[in-house]
Amino acid sequence: MSAFSDVELLQDFLTEAGDLLEDVDSKLVELEQSPEDADLLATVFRGFHTIKGGAGFLEATHLVELCHKTENLFDLLRSKKLVLDAEMMDSIMAATGEVHRMFGEMRNGHQPGAAPAELLEALDAAIEGRTVASAAAPVVQAAAVPVPSQPKTMNELAQISEDDLDWAGLYEAVVGVPPRELEQAALSTDMATEAISKQAAAAVRPKAPPPKAKAAQPAAAAQKENTIRVDTARFDQILNLSGEIGLTKNRLNCLFQAFASGASNEELIKSLDTVVGQLDMLVSDLQSAVMKARMQPVGRVFQKYSRLARDVSRQLGKDVELVIEGAETEVDKSILEELNDPLIHLVRNAVDHGIETIADRTACGKNPKGIVNLSARQTGDHIVIEIQDDGRGMRPEIIREKAVEKGLISAEEAGQLSVQESLQLIFLPGFSTKDQISDISGRGVGMDVVKTNIQRLNGRIEIQSEPGHGSTITILLPLTLAILPVLMLKLEEQIYSLPLSCVREIIPIEEDKVQYVGGKPTMVVRGEVIPLLDLATLIGRESAPTPKVGVLTISGNKACILAVDSLVGQDEVMIKPLDGVKPKGVAGATLSGEGLLVLVLELRELIEGKL
């Protein structure tokens, strides 16, 4: 197949056709509500026609055949020679599912296999006006998640990977000397980047690494989209800023040569100060422009879930409509990609667990059609995503009973939980309210995956629920992960940083104000008793005799005070990941303004099991 040898051409087709197919999926859900809408029928027809044309050029015969049959069916529908019914729509939905499957095979460089014979027969029968059993549309599933053989208790979970990270080894590998002998030696950007990306992995020695973890990474990476659509106006702005930076660089070179030749006067110093100020402003503008170029509307992800909600509700015999709001809200592309799996689980759970059956809703005096509202909005430098349903809601007492029944918490622990803490139990690995495993739910891994993925994005997730009236799950995420506002702090002479989003305030630590509760140090802040944790102890370093500064932090619904030696100040940093490894308590690394290596700490992992 000669056309497949042109990787760039194939990638262009998959990008364009993939966007087109997602739009077709969205329009099909609308079409089911308005089967005689001429504009919708024409849009779906054109979508299949365009995909067929590209597939024909790539000689993807089976894809061409499937699209051709579906295109013929829509030609008859738009000319009013046929009327769309539920069985016909099931066959059409199944056809789009097969096109998705074929795209996946083409993405891996293979010719797509043929569609199932029963699907082709169902399409032929619909075209001819005959009635046959419709081909069931496959329910969209999230990425495969390993199912734990046995649910672990909260105490067991808190001790997993407790000593996985060798901090002394990490610093010796990255910086070149043990932490106790670490000096303030400036590193060049190239040296630090190489150290971060290549040497850090050697210092992290997990006790029992999963045997298939490395093999799974390439497959996951291969599924990530490596293209992005950007408004040309944004590119023009980047080009203009780049040109101005080039001119400023030339001016700096002239000033440098003047200083190198021995010239030094007040006018020259004033010129240097002006040029450096201009460069600082231009670089900030360029950084902002590049970040805007990475921003994508969340509607690109949201539109997929109309099809998901429709398929799940059909499979469960429910009537559910997904309402999308704020689709134009923009978020960084890297965050958008990571949102897919959590949102699949949340939308699917809202339809499966939240919305009642038609009979139950009628008996309760509700509209037989359930509504799931998926919305997004920007608040400051965060994006807020809400999944709200008007279903049965969550009952804290039932959640507690299920958690105790599955051995996730003890009966004593359950009795001490508040309503909000009870709702948070649904995020425990192994928790499920279903007694039997189905294709949709019951394995107890969905919500655990949701929380893990959201926390990996430096976000948090909250639940509100009213029994009998529905539930609202709120996700708060930063707009971007590339530039992170942080608080720089010191332990002895080494600088660390914490994301500013988890820092609430700075307080002095005075010995006479430290109180011990159950043998553990605490401090009272505005009437609230908050645990005091020594950061040096958390990361495996020797504790300082008298830490002077406390950083009051919030992680989820947990508050603590981190004791440190001193503060350096606030900064905005570009995070470099530690390639090939995820040390516990470390989100990544960066460089300070002086060129020093700084580890960016991950608060949630640092305090896990400590409170």
Side-chain angles (χ1 to χ4, degrees):
M1 184 174 52
S2 59
F4 267 46
S5 60
D6 191 334
V7 178
E8 186 175 349
L9 179 63
L10 177 61
Q11 184 61 46
D12 287 345
F13 167 76
L14 291 173
T15 299
E16 297 287 342
D19 290 344
L20 200 58
L21 186 59
E22 288 175 5
D23 186 56
V24 165
D25 270 336
S26 177
K27 292 295 189 291
L28 285 175
V29 176
E30 296 179 33
L31 188 62
E32 196 167 27
Q33 306 297 323
S34 308
E36 296 183 1
D37 191 311
D39 290 337
L40 288 175
L41 289 169
T43 299
V44 176
F45 171 82
R46 287 193 299 269
F48 279 107
H49 180 76
T50 304
I51 294 173
K52 183 188 77 170
F57 185 77
L58 292 170
E59 300 176 15
T61 308
H62 295 303
L63 178 56
V64 170
E65 179 187 14
L66 180 60
C67 289
H68 181 66
K69 289 181 182 293
T70 314
E71 176 191 9
N72 286 344
L73 177 57
F74 271 93
D75 189 33
L76 295 172
L77 288 170
R78 67 174 185 165
S79 61
K80 301 188 182 301
K81 295 178 181 178
L82 291 175
V83 177
L84 185 65
D85 56 27
E87 290 73 20
M88 194 182 297
M89 179 59 78
D90 282 342
S91 298
I92 294 168
M93 289 289 195
T96 62
E98 278 298 303
V99 176
H100 277 292
R101 191 263 307 167
M102 292 180 178
F103 282 178
E105 293 181 1
M106 294 173 72
R107 197 169 285 112
N108 292 326
H110 304 304
Q111 273 278 20
E118 58 269 22
L119 172 58
L120 298 177
E121 171 61 23
L123 291 173
D124 284 335
I127 292 171
E128 296 168 8
R130 294 185 287 113
T131 302
V132 297
S134 62
V139 177
V140 181
Q141 300 289 344
V145 179
V147 180
S149 56
Q150 280 187 330
K152 292 182 171 57
T153 65
M154 295 178 76
N155 290 333
E156 289 174 328
L157 290 170
Q159 297 175 16
I160 291 177
S161 304
E162 185 68 23
D163 301 316
D164 282 356
L165 180 60
D166 179 1
W167 277 87
L170 176 61
Y171 270 98
E172 189 167 358
V174 175
V175 183
V177 293
R180 301 295 299 174
E181 302 173 10
L182 190 65
E183 298 178 357
Q184 292 285 346
L187 298 176
S188 70
T189 302
D190 291 340
M191 289 170 59
T193 301
E194 183 179 2
I196 292 168
S197 61
K198 295 182 179 179
Q199 295 177 338
V204 182
R205 297 185 279 276
K207 291 180 178 177
K212 296 184 179 181
K214 290 186 177 179
Q217 288 175 358
Q223 295 176 358
K224 285 195 174 182
E225 189 178 337
N226 57 4
T227 59
I228 186 171
R229 289 189 175 186
V230 182
D231 190 331
T232 54
R234 291 182 175 178
F235 267 130
D236 290 341
Q237 184 185 11
I238 292 173
L239 182 61
N240 291 335
L241 288 169
S242 300
E244 292 185 37
I245 289 175
L247 295 175
T248 306
K249 181 201 72 171
N250 294 338
R251 177 61 178 149
L252 274 177
N253 285 336
C254 293
L255 292 172
F256 173 76
Q257 291 173 5
F259 276 107
S261 64
S264 179
N265 54 58
E266 186 177 344
E267 189 65 29
L268 202 58
I269 293 174
K270 186 181 294 185
S271 297
L272 179 62
D273 182 62
T274 301
V275 173
V276 170
Q278 290 175 346
L279 183 61
D280 180 64
M281 181 184 64
L282 289 171
V283 169
S284 296
D285 289 346
L286 179 61
Q287 192 177 64
S288 175
V290 171
M291 295 313 304
K292 286 181 180 178
R294 288 174 55 88
M295 304 292 274
Q296 300 287 292
V298 295
R300 290 187 54 211
V301 171
F302 282 11
Q303 67 178 359
K304 304 176 185 178
Y305 305 127
S306 296
R307 164 73 183 271
L308 170 67
R310 182 262 181 199
D311 288 348
V312 173
S313 61
R314 288 273 294 176
Q315 184 172 338
L316 297 173
K318 299 179 179 182
D319 187 5
V320 181
E321 180 183 357
L322 180 69
V323 178
I324 295 176
E325 298 177 359
E328 70 284 352
T329 305
E330 290 189 326
V331 68
D332 189 279
K333 177 179 179 289
S334 59
I335 292 180
L336 201 60
E337 291 171 345
E338 297 296 332
L339 274 176
N340 186 52
D341 278 358
L343 290 181
I344 282 180
H345 286 297
L346 292 174
V347 171
R348 192 170 53 196
N349 276 9
V351 177
D352 182 16
H353 296 275
I355 302 297
E356 309 95 330
T357 62
I358 295 176
D360 288 344
R361 291 181 67 86
T362 303
C364 294
K366 292 184 177 181
N367 189 321
K369 174 182 288 188
I371 300 296
V372 176
N373 191 284
L374 177 60
S375 64
R377 66 181 185 273
Q378 183 177 340
T379 304
D381 59 350
H382 281 71
I383 180 174
V384 179
I385 297 175
E386 287 185 346
I387 301 92
Q388 183 178 31
D389 67 74
D390 64 348
R392 59 173 60 91
M394 302 183 195
R395 299 186 181 275
E397 63 276 9
I398 294 178
I399 293 176
R400 288 195 294 267
E401 289 174 6
K402 284 290 183 181
V404 172
E405 177 186 320
K406 292 180 177 293
L408 300 176
I409 60 173
S410 66
E412 292 76 16
E413 288 176 313
Q416 299 174 1
L417 296 178
S418 65
V419 171
Q420 187 58 39
E421 289 171 336
S422 299
L423 295 177
Q424 291 289 324
L425 291 176
I426 69 173
F427 295 116
L428 288 178
F431 180 87
S432 177
T433 55
K434 289 294 185 73
D435 295 321
Q436 294 184 344
I437 295 175
S438 68
D439 291 340
I440 298 175
S441 62
R443 296 188 182 273
V445 294
M447 296 304 285
D448 173 35
V449 169
V450 169
K451 186 173 183 180
T452 300
N453 286 7
I454 295 302
Q455 289 179 333
R456 188 186 303 130
L457 295 171
N458 297 325
R460 68 179 191 269
I461 185 167
E462 301 171 352
I463 304 176
Q464 292 181 335
S465 186
E466 184 178 353
H469 292 83
S471 305
T472 301
I473 295 181
T474 304
I475 299 172
L476 292 92
L477 294 166
L479 286 176
T480 178
L481 293 179
I483 305 297
L484 182 68
V486 296
L487 175 68
M488 297 283 193
L489 46 89
K490 268 190 178 183
L491 291 178
E492 294 183 348
E493 294 302 316
Q494 178 59 41
I495 301 176
Y496 298 85
S497 65
L498 274 173
L500 207 55
S501 59
C502 67
V503 177
R504 289 297 172 263
E505 62 179 293
I506 309 300
I507 57 178
I509 297 179
E510 301 174 6
E511 288 189 27
D512 59 337
K513 293 186 178 180
V514 177
Q515 304 176 10
Y516 288 84
V517 178
K520 297 182 179 181
T522 64
M523 291 183 67
V524 179
V525 180
R526 285 185 291 279
E528 183 180 359
V529 179
I530 301 178
L532 177 63
L533 303 178
D534 184 23
L535 181 59
T537 303
L538 292 178
I539 62 177
R541 296 186 59 168
E542 291 185 12
S543 178
T546 54
K548 302 175 182 177
V549 181
V551 182
L552 178 55
T553 61
I554 303 291
S555 177
N557 57 353
K558 296 179 180 179
C560 70
I561 300 171
L562 295 182
V564 300
D565 293 342
S566 61
L567 299 179
V568 178
Q570 298 182 21
D571 201 355
E572 289 190 347
V573 300
M574 178 81 71
I575 297 183
K576 297 288 185 180
L578 298 174
D579 290 345
V581 70
K582 178 62 178 72
K584 181 176 181 180
V586 181
T590 187
L591 293 176
S592 68
E594 295 80 19
L596 298 175
L597 178 69
V598 177
L599 290 184
V600 181
L601 303 178
E602 188 163 344
L603 181 64
R604 176 184 58 85
E605 292 186 352
L606 277 179
I607 65 175
E608 186 177 13
K610 304 296 183 182
L611 301 179

